[in-house]
Structures are given as structure tokens and as C-alpha cells.
Amino acid sequence: MSESKLAGQFFDAAIGLLQRVRDEEAANVADAGAAIADTVAAGGRLFAFGAGHSSLAAQDVVYRAGGFALMNLLAVPGVVGVDVMPATLGSALERVEGLAGAVLDSSPAKSGDILVIISLSGRNALPVEMAMNARALGLKVIGVTSVAYAEETKSRHVSGTFLKDHCDIVLDSKIAVGDAELTHEGIEAPFAPASTVVTSALMQATMAAAAEQLVERGIEPPLLRSGNVDGGHDWNGRVMTEYGDRIFFRH
């Protein structure tokens, strides 16, 4: 079977976006990594939040081999994935005002911690209020979003603002409005979204920058190893014991 023209076009589009964020967001990624390193060094905790498919990039840095043991998922019931029934409920919950405050108030997050908020559009009430409430509680907020949405769409929050307006550091994924890289004759809707690829890469690059910052300060980054390599379980047990008071996915 000959190779797919459209598949190749998607790879090209994704690679182009990755190169663009690598070059254009380098300073912001370094700043985000430094902020995470500062928090780890100061005894703080790390949290990541995303709604809908944006939650995939948040989950990608929680409890995984090669990742920081201290990164915790700040989960909002009903919006973490498509497993909720009906799946459309998750989209509806993103527009509910007051939900973010209730989640934060009942979470272990506190002043001095970091919260990474991932939202492609950044226009719904949930990510906007999550950022506003988190900063009011004294958390530092890193937003991962597409700034294009703030320039080309209207906010759905009563304030008229977007996620990017309430962050200490913003990482722009450069994803075009609509999140579909390809069009083709005979296919009426655009297709092939790349936001997950790019946003996950931004997250992993940020964590790599944080590890670099920590080791430069003489601090061993609190990394997990694969449980499928010899010694992995022992290593992870030591890390989780050492940092147990800052890890919340075990409780």
C-alpha cells in the first residue's frame, strides 16, 4: 500500500508547529521551568489542570516514568475525559460559573504552590475562574493556551477575559482557531487536530527545563523511573517516601 498523502501532511503540520513553539516560546518555557524549580526547591507542590481533551496534556505529566513525582492532577469531576456519560456533559461543565472555586477550595492546593492550567481556547468560565481563584489563593499560575482564540473569538466568561489574562506565565501553543490542521476536497469539515501533540510537547519541555534548573542548583529532580525496568519500583518507592507529603495521587 502506498503511503498516505494526508498522513504525511499532518506530520508536516505538527512538526511545523513544534518547531514554531520551540523557537518562539523558548523564553516562556524557560521561565515556566524556573518557576517550577523554585517551587520544588521551596517545598511547594505542583498541580496541573485541563478540561476535555486539554486534560490529556495535564495527565501526561502526572505519575509517569521520566516525570516529576510531585506533579499532581487537579481533577474536576466530569471534565477530565470522555469517559463521563454523556460526553457532552464535560463541555457543558466548562461553562458553569463557580465550579472552579469549589474545586480549589476543596483541594490541597495552597499559597506558594504552582498550578498549570491547560485550555486550548481559554475562553470558558472554568479555566478563567480556575486561574483567577488560584492567584487569589496565592498560587503561581502557568497557562498553556492558544492566544489566537483570544484574538479571534469572544470570551464566555462574564468578565470578558481569557485564561491568558490571569496567568503569571503564558505558553502559547500557536494552534489555529478550530484545532484542525487539514482540509481536503470531498471532506466538508476540517480535520486532524494537533493541539494534543503540541501542548504535551510544551509540558514535557517545561518539565525538562525545570529538571535542568534544579540540577544546576545542586538539587536532584524528584523523577520517577519506569516500573518495567529493573530497580524501578525500588527507586520510585524511595522518591514517593521522601516526597510523600507533596504527592496526592496516592491518597
Side-chain angles (χ1 to χ4, degrees), residues 196-249:
T196 303
V197 174
V198 177
T199 304
S200 291
L202 275 169
M203 289 298 298
Q204 294 296 349
T206 297
M207 301 314 293
E212 181 180 26
Q213 282 277 334
L214 286 168
V215 77
E216 287 178 356
R217 304 177 196 189
I219 301 171
E220 181 183 357
L223 296 168
L224 296 172
R225 290 180 180 268
S226 172
N228 296 313
V229 300
D230 292 341
H233 284 297
D234 291 339
W235 172 281
N236 292 341
R238 175 184 65 81
V239 171
M240 290 206 182
T241 297
E242 182 176 350
Y243 294 97
D245 61 334
R246 298 154 75 180
I247 297 172
F248 301 101
F249 50 76

Side-chain angles (χ1 to χ4, degrees), residues 69-83:
L70 304 189
M71 183 61 80
N72 301 277
L73 184 67
L74 184 66
V76 177
V79 306
V80 176
V82 294
D83 57 332

Side-chain angles (χ1 to χ4, degrees), residues 55 60 110 119 145 184-185 196 199 211 244:
S55 72
D60 194 44
K110 63 181 183 180
S119 174
T145 188
H184 188 68
E185 184 178 354
T196 303
T199 304

Side-chain angles (χ1 to χ4, degrees), residues 18-34:
L18 289 170
Q19 290 175 329
R20 186 179 173 197
V21 297
R22 179 196 63 191
D23 297 340
E24 297 179 16
E25 295 301 300
N28 292 328
V29 168
D31 288 346

Side-chain angles (χ1 to χ4, degrees), residues 168-186:
D168 297 283
I169 301 168
V170 175
L171 304 180
D172 183 4
S173 65
K174 317 292 182 181
I175 299 294
V177 173
D179 191 18
E181 294 300 317
L182 302 182
T183 57
H184 188 68
E185 184 178 354

Side-chain angles (χ1 to χ4, degrees), residues 51-115:
H53 285 92
S54 290
S55 72
L56 296 174
Q59 294 177 60
D60 194 44
V61 292
V62 176
Y63 184 54
R64 69 167 304 158
F68 276 44
L70 304 189
M71 183 61 80
N72 301 277
L73 184 67
L74 184 66
V76 177
V79 306
V80 176
V82 294
D83 57 332
V84 62
M85 294 297 290
T88 51
L89 176 62
S91 298
L93 288 173
E94 288 187 62
R95 304 180 191 185
V96 174
E97 295 182 12
L99 182 56
V103 169
L104 274 171
D105 288 345
S106 59
S107 80
K110 63 181 183 180
S111 180
D113 294 343
I114 273 189
L115 174 59

